[in-house]
Amino acid sequence: MHRRGFLAASLATVLASPRALAQMKTDGMSNMRGMDHAGHDMGAMGQGPVALPQNQPLRELPLLANEAAGPGLFKARLTAESATARFAADRDTPILAYNGISPGPLIETQEGDRVEITFANRIEGEPSTIHWHGMPVPADQDGNPMDPVAAGADRVYAFDLPEGSAGSYWYHPHPHGRTAEQVYRGLAGAFVVKAKADPIPAAYGDTTLFLTDLRLAADGSMPENTMTDMMNGRVGDHVLVNGQKNPRLAVAMGTKRRLRLYNATNARFLRLAFVNAAMTLIGSDGGLIEAPVAADEILLSPAERVELVVAFDKGTATLTTLDYDRGWMGPGRPEDKGLALLTADVSDTQAEPMPPLPERLRPIARFGQPTVSRRLVFTETMAMKPTGMEMGFLINGMAFDMGRIDIVAKAGDTELWEIVNQADMDHPFHLHGTQFQLIERERDGKVSKPPYLAWKDTVNVARGETVRLVTRQERPGTRMYHCHILEHEQLGMMGVIDVQA
Ligand SMILES: [Cu+2]
């Protein structure tokens, strides 16, 4: 039996007190959507959400052009700046964009490549960084909040992609206190590292589906985060695929497609199913798994990725969402189920016969016995302050402090990390600088082992659950670990690990 914890109890108290509610309203939180209205999908001022066009042909993400002349080097420039997008047909939306677009351009490189990307921060008045989510890059190239790039400044991020690092990574800002806002305003993109010898048949193609979450006010602007957003993480009104709402994909009968799905939302849990098409899981955050696994549904928590092979054998197939209860605080829980994210029109014409998926994809070496073990406990707090309600999201009782080292580790050590979620909400745990292996989950004394071995950099830790994982940092330097609900990270659910040589 799961006991509702401190935050839920505090919230219940606050909601039960008319005085407190009135105070919250007069404290500039009258736009606290969902707290005093049922239903989250309200546009600004209680109107319905702004309608977005649907059913347009799926856009492939534009590639970031490689400016290097020879092989083995990927050289490019990413400029973060204000831009304008047209989500709704009749109104402009001011956004933040990489090279003018959101999602940012798709970076595609090969394992073994050297990468040199000049980052130009042209966001007015705000520092930023680029964090290479999941990638094995040196600590001083990983866009830590301690290494801000000032507004107007440039810096070069340079790193080598080792053999065996092929996978579905991404890039996004990680500046102190501003990550959540810079990401929901549009700064995020996919970074795919291709294998030199790829076991997946080329006939399946390779399509990145970058899922983001958009909320628009009636005038087309993106409203600022509210109290509800800070508490639950910002969930928008529209889930977009490559910036489009429910785009369409035309395929011939019998087609198999390789799809890389990214949850690049700030806080939306996506429990996904493909209606009328069979899904086979082939990869996780850090690349291919050992062997294909048939999947009826997939839970993709914020920042997680999967690689799928989808077989289109009948009629119209829809990538859709299923209900998932991740522990919503307060009223206004968004409708999770039945969202059509992508519709595939399967023609009657038979596709050329597709080669089968190999039975083995690649070996994954299991980590040896850990020599160090650590325990991270997630909790939530809430207090009424004269300035309003103040929430805290803590790891081992502490909120993030950039000047504090929380963990000292040694490069090359194999470590067991136990992530204990004593909070009322699920929190997706992300560790920088490496990939880890999930060992087991425990809830109410029941232990379950994962059905297959996989490289992960983000794992959901459900409320009341303990997740055990094994990891190893190969390089020295300062790394972050945090909840990837970006508003929770901002409110303190982050720590610093100092890896020593
Ligand atoms: Cu969280």
Side-chain angles (χ1 to χ4, degrees):
M1 195 46 195
H2 179 57
R3 186 178 55 84
R4 295 293 275 175
F6 188 78
L7 190 61
S10 311
L11 183 65
T13 310
V14 167
L15 291 175
S17 152
R19 196 194 61 82
L21 253 186
Q23 184 183 348
M24 280 155 63
K25 282 179 188 163
T26 53
D27 283 339
M29 294 165 195
S30 50
N31 60 342
M32 198 169 70
R33 298 150 28 105
M35 292 298 286
D36 47 0
H37 295 81
H40 191 83
D41 262 19
M42 304 182 295
M45 315 311 290
Q47 296 168 12
V50 176
L52 299 194
Q54 301 189 41
N55 300 314
Q56 296 170 333
L58 172 72
R59 282 196 293 256
E60 297 257 324
L61 294 166
L63 279 174
L64 183 62
N66 185 4
E67 295 164 7
L73 175 64
F74 185 90
K75 205 172 158 141
R77 189 178 169 87
L78 279 176
T79 303
E81 61 201 335
S82 294
T84 301
R86 263 287 161 103
F87 294 108
D90 54 352
R91 58 204 104 181
D92 286 336
T93 300
I95 62 167
L96 293 177
Y98 286 119
N99 294 1
I101 54 172
S102 176
L106 170 63
I107 304 177
E108 201 177 279
T109 63
Q110 207 177 47
E111 50 187 10
D113 281 355
R114 174 162 183 82
V115 176
E116 293 177 10
I117 293 178
T118 302
F119 170 48
N121 178 10
R122 300 293 178 269
I123 309 169
E124 215 162 303
E126 292 184 24
S128 192
T129 74
I130 300 183
H131 169 54
W132 311 100
H133 185 118
M135 302 183 68
V137 313
D140 61 358
Q141 305 299 311
D142 207 14
N144 282 338
M146 301 79 158
D147 302 320
V149 179
D154 292 6
R155 79 152 280 177
V156 177
Y157 290 105
F159 44 87
D160 297 296
L161 296 169
E163 302 292 334
S165 63
S168 309
Y169 308 104
W170 57 303
Y171 61 97
H172 62 76
H174 217 304
H176 184 56
R178 304 209 73 97
T179 300
E181 184 179 343
Q182 289 187 4
V183 173
Y184 79 67
R185 294 207 181 277
L187 292 179
F191 195 135
V192 172
V193 180
K194 300 271 228 176
K196 280 184 176 154
D198 198 326
I200 310 303
Y204 298 180
D206 189 346
T207 305
T208 296
L209 301 177
F210 201 73
L211 277 58
T212 57
D213 201 0
L214 176 71
R215 187 191 305 155
L216 290 182
D219 65 356
S221 67
M222 292 181 185
E224 288 189 3
N225 267 346
T226 63
M227 282 289 285
T228 294
D229 294 328
M230 295 311 293
M231 185 153 45
N232 291 290
R234 181 190 183 92
V235 173
D237 296 326
H238 309 277
V239 179
L240 304 182
V241 176
N242 296 356
Q244 298 172 288
K245 182 158 183 177
N246 189 20
R248 294 190 97 94
L249 175 69
V251 290
M253 183 79 71
T255 299
K256 287 190 173 75
R257 292 290 290 262
R258 177 189 202 167
L259 304 177
R260 298 175 193 258
L261 270 60
Y262 283 69
N263 186 340
T265 70
N266 276 39
R268 191 186 275 267
F269 287 69
L270 294 164
R271 187 175 153 223
L272 301 168
F274 234 118
V275 179
N276 265 349
M279 297 192 294
T280 303
L281 182 72
I282 58 166
S284 56
D285 302 334
L288 297 175
I289 55 177
E290 291 188 299
V293 177
D296 291 331
E297 59 174 73
I298 280 163
L299 177 63
L300 214 54
S301 73
E304 283 187 298
R305 292 87 66 205
V306 285
E307 275 185 76
L308 302 175
V309 170
V310 178
F312 298 98
D313 293 321
K314 54 188 164 192
T316 302
T318 311
L319 179 64
T320 188
T321 58
L322 304 172
D323 194 44
Y324 181 71
D325 181 7
R326 45 85 145 214
W328 188 264
M329 285 292 136
R333 183 182 160 196
E335 189 60 56
D336 291 326
K337 63 172 178 289
L339 304 176
L341 304 185
L342 171 75
T343 304
D345 298 304
V346 184
S347 74
D348 294 335
T349 333
Q350 199 69 29
E352 292 286 308
M354 295 258 162
L357 249 182
E359 280 174 25
R360 309 296 302 174
L361 302 179
R362 67 156 172 178
I364 293 180
R366 203 174 275 274
F367 279 122
Q369 200 58 32
T371 53
V372 179
S373 59
R374 310 193 183 279
R375 187 165 195 260
L376 307 185
V377 179
F378 289 178
T379 53
E380 298 153 353
T381 60
M382 181 153 68
M384 280 299 288
K385 296 277 167 71
T387 49
M389 198 160 53
E390 203 172 278
M391 284 160 289
F393 291 85
L394 311 178
I395 301 178
N396 291 347
M398 286 178 288
F400 174 63
D401 177 347
M402 198 145 67
R404 188 185 67 224
I405 303 288
D406 296 284
I407 294 175
V408 178
K410 211 169 161 321
D413 275 359
T414 301
E415 302 196 342
L416 173 73
W417 285 41
E418 187 176 60
I419 321 295
V420 184
N421 186 348
Q422 293 179 352
D424 293 311
M425 284 181 253
D426 288 17
H427 296 287
F429 173 78
H430 171 49
L431 173 61
H432 288 200
T434 189
Q435 295 281 321
F436 53 74
Q437 293 175 0
L438 181 61
I439 300 300
E440 61 188 23
R441 297 172 176 276
E442 181 174 347
R443 193 171 192 167
D444 299 328
K446 268 175 60 184
V447 175
S448 61
K449 304 271 182 195
Y452 50 87
L453 202 54
W455 289 116
K456 297 282 296 167
D457 55 57
T458 308
V459 62
N460 187 40
V461 189
R463 55 202 198 282
E465 186 179 56
T466 293
V467 163
R468 296 187 185 92
L469 55 90
V470 175
T471 188
R472 184 162 65 206
Q473 296 281 353
E474 301 289 356
R475 305 153 184 266
T478 301
R479 302 289 186 179
M480 322 303 294
Y481 53 89
H482 59 91
C483 172
H484 221 286
I485 290 178
L486 295 176
E487 285 74 15
H488 293 175
E489 178 252 79
Q490 183 173 330
L491 288 174
M493 200 169 261
M494 178 154 67
V496 179
I497 169 170
D498 178 28
V499 183
Q500 300 186 341

